[in-house]
Amino acid sequence: MPTPSMEDYIEKIYSLIENKGYARVSDIAEELLVHPSSVTKMVQKLDKDEYLVYEKYRGLILTPKGKTIGKRLLERHALLESFLGIIGVEETRIYEDVEGIEHHLSWNSIDRIGDVVQFFEENPDALAKLQGMQHVTRYPEE
């Protein structure tokens, strides 16, 4: 299994390829807010571990293994964003919160969260009831 850092790269590479058709080292660095040299080192490691194929100065492509994991990671991220939105987390906090928790949950927990999201999507009355229970609480900046 990839490390959390490797997961971040695989997820971002998958997302870039899905959206732009390609992922360059500079694009990855810009998206992840890291130096291109850090991206190059990680891409070389991901190549060695057979998540992608990297040729210096020519770009990279995900292997079938990398595509499968990248898709699952992107789906995990979207599911957690949906879940946090359903339970009333402020929109401006959702992305950062997902980034903070996504690597710390088991796939079993992710599947159960998926069940909760599906339940609320299929039961709008229950969702309305949940939203009616929510009240705005202001917390000091963290």
Side-chain angles (χ1 to χ4, degrees):
M1 286 300 297
T3 66
S5 180
M6 292 166 76
E7 285 185 348
D8 285 339
Y9 278 84
I10 295 168
E11 179 183 349
K12 190 53 66 183
I13 291 166
Y14 182 86
S15 176
L16 283 166
I17 291 171
E18 284 293 300
N19 293 322
K20 294 174 73 170
Y22 60 90
R24 298 179 310 207
V25 167
S26 58
D27 299 321
I28 300 164
E30 184 178 321
E31 291 279 327
L32 293 175
L33 305 173
V34 296
H35 291 337
S37 60
S38 298
V39 174
T40 300
K41 287 177 189 172
M42 180 58 80
V43 164
Q44 289 169 341
K45 177 163 182 36
L46 293 170
D47 184 5
K48 181 177 170 263
D49 291 349
E50 300 179 347
Y51 292 105
L52 55 80
V53 176
Y54 173 65
E55 294 181 30
K56 195 171 183 177
Y57 306 118
R58 297 201 60 192
L60 56 94
I61 58 167
L62 289 168
T63 62
K65 173 181 165 181
K67 285 180 187 174
T68 299
I69 290 176
K71 183 175 188 225
R72 178 95 162 128
L73 295 171
L74 203 59
E75 289 170 349
R76 175 182 71 184
H77 191 100
L79 175 67
L80 291 171
E81 284 186 349
S82 294
F83 176 69
L84 293 182
I86 284 170
I87 64 171
V89 173
E90 292 177 15
E91 184 88 20
T92 58
R93 299 277 320 151
I94 290 177
Y95 182 83
E96 188 176 326
D97 285 353
V98 169
E99 287 297 311
I101 64 173
E102 66 185 338
H103 302 295
H104 301 286
L105 296 171
S106 69
W107 286 105
N108 182 257
S109 293
I110 297 295
D111 289 341
R112 298 301 62 81
I113 289 169
D115 294 341
V116 171
V117 169
Q118 182 179 351
F119 172 81
F120 282 113
E121 287 173 345
E122 293 174 357
N123 296 279
D125 292 342
L127 178 57
K129 190 172 183 178
L130 173 66
Q131 290 170 339
M133 295 170 48
Q134 298 169 349
H135 57 282
V136 177
T137 306
R138 298 285 175 214
Y139 298 98
E141 289 301 315
E142 299 163 336

